[in-house]
Each structure stands twice: as structure tokens, then as C-alpha cells.
Amino acid sequence: TCLWFIYGISRELIPADTRFRIALIAASVALAFLAPIYLIEVGSTFIDVTTTVPVLAGILLLLICDRSRHGGWSVLLAGLLMGAASGLKLTNAMFAVAASVFIILASRPVKVRIRDLGLYVAGGCIGLLLVGGAWAYRLFKAFGNPLFPLFNAWFQSPDLPAFDSRNDR
């Protein structure tokens, strides 16, 4: 499914009049397939490839919206997908934030971009709550922190020292 979305994204990003367009699209899909992290995780119990599906679907929807000059429901659905991906795996939230920048810089009038950003954020919050809300609630009930063990300096769960863990690499 990831490769199918890569194909769609490539079709949107590579202009129709580009020389060797079909070969470039095929190369995009082949490179995505040959990425070592993708090959290692396919068929395993790692969830990165699985949670990438709604992220790529959201990106494809945003690209289609920008090209067609329409927003509205498609932007809301893109937000729902990105929020759901973040609910499945919190580290996908960085892709949702990056996609919001895409909406801000889109080639549409400012009023439309503001409306689309509001729809995107609303969809993202709904998707996050629908998919990750029950788990966050259980974490909050058990540890006093809906993102446990992350952000424990804010929530100060008694089960972990009150500091934020960081990866400084």
C-alpha cells in the first residue's frame, strides 16, 4: 500500500510534460521499495511501514487538493489521516506538523489557506482522539500522564523522574 501511495505522489509531483515521466515514476516506486528500512520491516512486527500508510495517503490528498485548487473535505480527510497516524505512533506527529506547513504555503488565496489549515487541524485532532484517545486515557489513568513516559516534566507522573527524555543525536 505504501508503494501505491508513492506512485500517486510521484504522479502528482512529476509534471505530465516531463521527459521520461513514466521511467521517473517507476524509479520513485523502485527506490521506495529498495529502501533498506522498508525491506527490513515488511513482513515483520515493526509498525513503521503500517503507520506510514495514512501519512502517505494524507500527503497525496494534500497534493491533489493543491493541484485542483480545492480544499475543504479533502483537507479535513488529510488531517484525519495524519491524526490517525499520530494516534497509532506518536512520532508520526512530525509529519502532520510538516504537512501543515504545506497548507500554509499552498498556492491558494490566504482566506482559503486559513480555512484549510483550520480544517486540517480539526481533522488531525479528531483523528488523533479517535485512534489514540482511548490509549492516552488509559495511560493517564494508570500513570497520570497521557503520553507516558514522554513529557513527564510537565505531567510529573510518580512512576518516573520528572524530566523529559531526549535523543540528542
Side-chain angles (χ1 to χ4, degrees), residues 10-27:
S10 299
R11 281 185 53 99
E12 288 297 316
L13 290 177
I14 300 171
D17 60 345
T18 301
R19 191 171 179 209
F20 305 115
R21 181 174 188 248
I22 293 172
L24 289 171
I25 291 170

Side-chain angles (χ1 to χ4, degrees), residues 54-69:
V55 171
L56 292 174
I59 290 169
L60 180 58
L61 271 172
L62 290 174
L63 287 171
I64 291 169
C65 288
D66 189 53
R67 187 165 309 254
S68 68
R69 305 278 189 244

Side-chain angles (χ1 to χ4, degrees), residues 1-2 11 17 35 118 163:
T1 307
C2 289
R11 281 185 53 99
D17 60 345
F163 71 90

Side-chain angles (χ1 to χ4, degrees), residues 154-169:
W154 288 1
F155 294 104
Q156 298 184 358
S157 169
D159 298 304
L160 196 71
F163 71 90
D164 289 332
S165 59
R166 290 191 179 103
N167 184 356
D168 293 326
R169 289 193 305 166

Side-chain angles (χ1 to χ4, degrees), residues 71-73 75-77 79-80 114-124:
W73 292 107
V75 174
L76 180 69
L77 181 57
L80 279 166
I114 291 170
R115 182 206 64 196
D116 285 350
L117 185 61
L119 287 170
Y120 177 78
V121 169

Side-chain angles (χ1 to χ4, degrees), residues 31 36 47 68 76 101 138 160:
L31 288 172
I47 64 168
S68 68
L76 180 69
V101 173
R138 289 186 70 180
L160 196 71

